[in-house]
Amino acid sequence: MDILPSEQQQQKGEGNETPQSSLEHAITDLSLTSQQQDGDDDDPANAKGEVSKKKKKKSKSKKKKEAPKQTDPPSIPILDLFPSGDFPEGQTQHYKDDNLWRTTSEEKRELERLQKPIYNSVRRAAEVHRQVRKYMKGIIKPGMLMTDLCETLENTVRKLISEDGLQAGIAFPTGCSLNWVAAHWTPNSGDKTVLQYDDVMKLDFGTHVDGYIVDCAFTVAFNPVFDPLLEASREATNTGIKEAGIDVRLCDVGAAIQEVMESYEVEINGKVYQVKSIRNLNGHSVGRYQIHAGKSVPIVKGGEQIKMEEGEFFAIETFASTGKGYVREDLECSHYMKNFDVGHIPLRLPRAKQLLATINKNFSTLAFCRRYLDRIGETKYLMALKNLCDSGIVQPYPPLCDVKGSYVSQFEHTILLRPTCKEVISKGDDY
């Protein structure tokens, strides 16, 4: 269409041109016009520029896509998923009443900035816990051998936390106590216990980085009849977290927990049970390389008047029971822990000395179980272990059981009383 005006101009201005030459001019003009209309698209330099721009854009998008994502099953260490070295913060809650001023205090914020390396360590451990429990929730099913369940969980923790001796790893044995067993049960080697559809399993495991421990637990039940029992302990734990804070008396936390816990009832096989708090089980303060650091957080009223303090870590845990609401030691022992404050105690048995050296090297004051000793190559150690227990160097922690035939559920989170706010370190999307 652009050819018609140019042809007319050429015929007027150069009448002596032959039709052939006029046609050639027209073709040339058409070529030029189309180039002008297309702008610089056909220019080689421009074309290269466009290509390079596109390449740059592509490479940028590739970099974004290449950000590491966790695999299924999880295998990428948390350090690789967060190359900046900053790990996700837990859920934060403001302090109440007389401590509300802390939220905006510049002095308290500065204190937190100084504590950032500690926060980062415990948040790394918490992120490992979240990812491991998410994976385990997807694979736990009736018919699993309890030993396989525990070893799968523990090996996943070891990978994700980049296990490094006493610098990072598992904080204590995986508790997978069933039904009326409330706590401190894990299978010893050779145990053939299988998870059943009607079981209520408390899955309590811990992670640590630089000795900063995340102690966190949840309950697995396949039969929906147990849902109210699980909800009782979950809501009681949330209440305990909500009530906890700087200068709060431990007894007040316990009273609030019991009130929520005992507002639930559960019907099992046609019989209605009033849900009870297990009165001789508690939450606890957590220290560095010390799972029980001295303070107990009761789950019934009437506890100690001692106050929570700034900078302390607490494991807020509750146990809901259809039984007597009281536990006793029973069954074969699997959990052990070297006493935190034990001094030098002379040992006569060479095998006990050797076992103690192994415990110091691999666990220090972190809890361990017989499977862990088997894993690092210890054999025929039961007599030596008993000697260490009898001498007071190592403390045995047998399973804690309510009355046989009852059911117990548990939920637990680790919280940190930061100077400006309360951080529920182990909080996740699941609970």
Side-chain angles (χ1 to χ4, degrees):
M1 305 214 199
D2 292 341
I3 204 170
L4 290 174
S6 70
E7 272 188 325
Q8 287 171 358
Q9 285 173 359
Q10 286 163 5
Q11 284 170 1
K12 283 179 186 176
E14 300 178 32
N16 58 347
E17 282 190 341
T18 62
Q20 181 65 33
S21 64
S22 178
L23 182 60
E24 287 174 359
H25 277 291
I27 291 167
T28 307
D29 286 349
L30 177 61
S31 162
L32 289 167
T33 308
S34 64
Q35 281 182 13
Q36 287 167 356
Q37 283 181 335
D38 292 342
D40 294 327
D41 288 1
D42 293 333
D43 180 71
N46 255 349
K48 283 179 185 174
E50 283 298 314
V51 170
S52 65
K53 279 180 187 175
K54 285 178 184 175
K55 279 183 181 174
K56 282 179 185 175
K57 284 179 184 175
K58 281 182 183 176
S59 64
K60 281 182 183 176
S61 63
K62 272 184 183 176
K63 280 180 184 175
K64 285 179 185 175
K65 286 178 184 176
E66 284 169 5
K69 288 184 179 178
Q70 192 52 272
T71 57
D72 185 20
S75 62
I76 301 175
I78 296 302
L79 286 171
D80 293 344
L81 293 179
F82 297 91
S84 67
D86 289 324
F87 301 95
E89 186 179 42
Q91 181 195 65
T92 55
Q93 298 180 10
H94 292 311
Y95 293 125
K96 298 187 291 186
D97 306 327
D98 292 343
N99 276 317
L100 193 58
W101 63 272
R102 292 172 168 275
T103 308
T104 54
S105 167
E106 191 53 46
E107 180 188 349
K108 296 300 180 184
R109 286 180 183 175
E110 180 58 30
L111 277 174
E112 289 192 352
R113 283 191 281 271
L114 295 173
Q115 296 295 315
K116 190 176 178 183
I118 293 173
Y119 298 170
N120 234 12
S121 291
V122 77
R123 285 170 186 164
R124 176 180 153 199
E127 183 60 22
V128 170
H129 200 287
R130 280 188 287 270
Q131 294 199 17
V132 171
R133 74 188 191 228
K134 179 182 177 182
Y135 170 60
M136 293 305 298
K137 283 182 176 185
I139 67 167
I140 293 173
K141 57 187 178 183
M144 287 185 80
L145 194 66
M146 298 298 281
T147 302
D148 292 344
L149 187 155
C150 290
E151 289 182 352
T152 299
L153 185 152
E154 290 158 359
N155 287 333
T156 307
V157 168
R158 291 182 180 110
K159 279 183 198 170
L160 300 198
I161 208 161
S162 304
E163 188 179 36
D164 180 20
L166 293 172
Q167 301 307 307
I170 296 169
F172 52 83
T174 303
C176 50
S177 308
L178 297 173
N179 305 324
W180 64 88
V181 184
H184 297 171
W185 187 85
T186 198
N188 288 322
S189 294
D191 191 291
K192 299 299 181 187
T193 305
V194 171
L195 185 63
Q196 306 293 331
Y197 175 77
D198 286 322
D199 282 338
V200 175
M201 176 178 67
K202 284 67 67 183
L203 201 55
D204 187 351
F205 70 100
T207 55
H208 85 92
V209 173
D210 295 327
Y212 295 103
I213 298 170
V214 169
D215 184 0
C216 184
F218 61 98
T219 300
V220 175
F222 307 103
N223 191 334
V225 74
F226 298 113
D227 287 354
L229 183 67
L230 271 62
E231 188 180 347
S233 52
R234 182 169 53 242
E235 288 310 307
T237 296
N238 289 338
T239 298
I241 292 167
K242 185 180 175 184
E243 293 299 315
I246 295 170
D247 298 329
V248 171
R249 296 182 189 277
L250 296 171
C251 58
D252 294 339
V253 178
I257 286 171
Q258 184 176 19
E259 184 179 353
V260 170
M261 185 78 83
E262 295 185 353
S263 68
Y264 285 86
E265 56 184 30
V266 55
E267 184 178 341
I268 302 169
N269 297 327
K271 185 176 178 182
V272 176
Y273 296 86
Q274 171 73 51
V275 176
K276 299 173 184 173
S277 282
I278 296 182
R279 60 186 180 273
N280 60 333
L281 286 179
N282 306 284
H284 47 91
S285 56
V286 181
R288 193 176 184 198
Y289 293 104
Q290 188 178 20
I291 188 64
H292 292 262
K295 292 183 179 179
S296 293
V297 185
I299 60 175
V300 292
K301 61 186 177 183
E304 295 178 329
Q305 298 280 321
I306 296 170
K307 291 182 178 181
M308 295 176 157
E309 297 175 56
E310 179 183 304
E312 287 184 318
F313 289 90
F314 283 92
I316 305 294
E317 59 183 320
T318 68
F319 295 85
S321 176
T322 64
K324 291 184 176 179
Y326 187 87
V327 293
R328 68 201 185 285
E329 294 181 349
D330 196 6
L331 307 177
E332 184 180 50
C333 188
S334 57
H335 285 51
Y336 301 85
M337 185 168 67
K338 184 184 172 188
N339 286 321
F340 191 79
D341 296 318
V342 71
H344 175 70
I345 295 177
L347 293 167
R348 294 176 64 187
L349 286 178
R351 183 70 182 92
K353 291 179 184 177
Q354 184 188 355
L355 183 62
L356 179 58
T358 297
I359 291 167
N360 285 334
K361 178 184 175 183
N362 291 278
F363 312 112
S364 184
T365 54
L366 296 173
F368 61 93
C369 63
R370 281 156 59 175
R371 282 188 297 106
Y372 293 2
L373 292 174
D374 299 335
R375 183 176 178 271
I376 59 177
E378 285 292 330
T379 57
K380 299 178 181 177
Y381 52 76
L382 288 178
M383 188 69 74
L385 186 58
K386 184 179 184 303
N387 184 253
L388 292 176
C389 293
D390 291 344
S391 64
I393 296 172
V394 171
Q395 179 72 37
Y397 289 89
L400 300 171
C401 307
D402 203 328
V403 61
K404 191 171 183 178
S406 63
Y407 295 93
V408 177
S409 74
Q410 173 200 16
F411 279 85
E412 178 180 22
H413 275 302
T414 297
I415 67 170
L416 166 59
L417 301 182
R418 284 167 44 186
T420 67
C421 65
K422 172 172 48 185
E423 182 175 345
V424 190
I425 293 163
S426 52
K427 188 77 172 175
D429 295 334
D430 47 355
Y431 67 93

